[in-house]
Amino acid sequence: QVQLAESGGGSVQAGGSLSLSCAISGFTDNTDGYNCVGWFRQAPGKERESVAAQSTGGGYIYYPESVKGRFTMTQNKAEKAVYLEMNSLKPEDTAMYYCAADQACDHWHVPSWGYYGQGTQVTVSS
């Protein structure tokens, strides 16, 4: 069974930092593989939006303008782990954050990836 397990969410004041982790497991020879990993977030009443994406082979990391320069995504392919470092957090960053995996990063900003975790809550107070 494919699982993406996030951890590291919490509450922080504006200007603070948080780090999220994601452990990916359960992919087998019989499971559609993944070649793109990333993070999405969803605030109450809003659509899910991508905040970072990268091919599992490395290379360019996609970020939307809203988080560029503040969020940094890294991955450890050998350990099947994905990380999101969030700095200079703002109240508008408050949301449930989801780790995600998909076959390709072609449509990284479209919230229809193949696999999502259960999410971890990030709350930023002013």
Side-chain angles (χ1 to χ4, degrees):
Q1 180 180 358
V2 173
Q3 286 190 323
L4 285 74
E6 303 95 338
S7 61
S11 297
V12 66
Q13 288 192 327
S17 300
L18 280 174
S19 297
L20 306 182
S21 300
C22 172
I24 301 174
S25 63
F27 283 91
T28 68
D29 290 340
N30 294 323
T31 309
D32 288 340
Y34 66 101
N35 298 294
C36 187
V37 290
W39 292 89
F40 282 78
R41 68 184 180 187
Q42 187 166 20
K46 294 188 176 181
E47 292 187 356
R48 188 170 294 190
E49 65 169 340
S50 175
V51 295
Q54 186 184 33
S55 165
T56 55
Y60 188 80
I61 303 176
Y62 301 92
Y63 299 104
E65 287 299 321
S66 58
V67 308
K68 195 173 291 185
R70 300 188 298 120
F71 288 15
T72 302
M73 179 183 137
T74 57
Q75 57 176 310
N76 185 323
K77 188 175 181 181
E79 295 187 1
K80 297 182 181 179
V82 185
Y83 307 97
L84 186 68
E85 179 73 23
M86 303 182 293
N87 298 312
S88 302
L89 283 162
K90 306 175 181 180
E92 52 264 43
D93 294 318
T94 295
M96 187 72 78
Y97 283 70
Y98 299 90
C99 179
D102 204 4
Q103 293 187 345
C105 289
D106 294 359
H107 305 287
W108 65 275
H109 58 289
V110 180
S112 59
W113 287 31
Y115 304 96
Y116 289 93
Q118 292 298 307
T120 184
Q121 179 67 38
V122 170
T123 302
V124 184
S125 57
S126 57

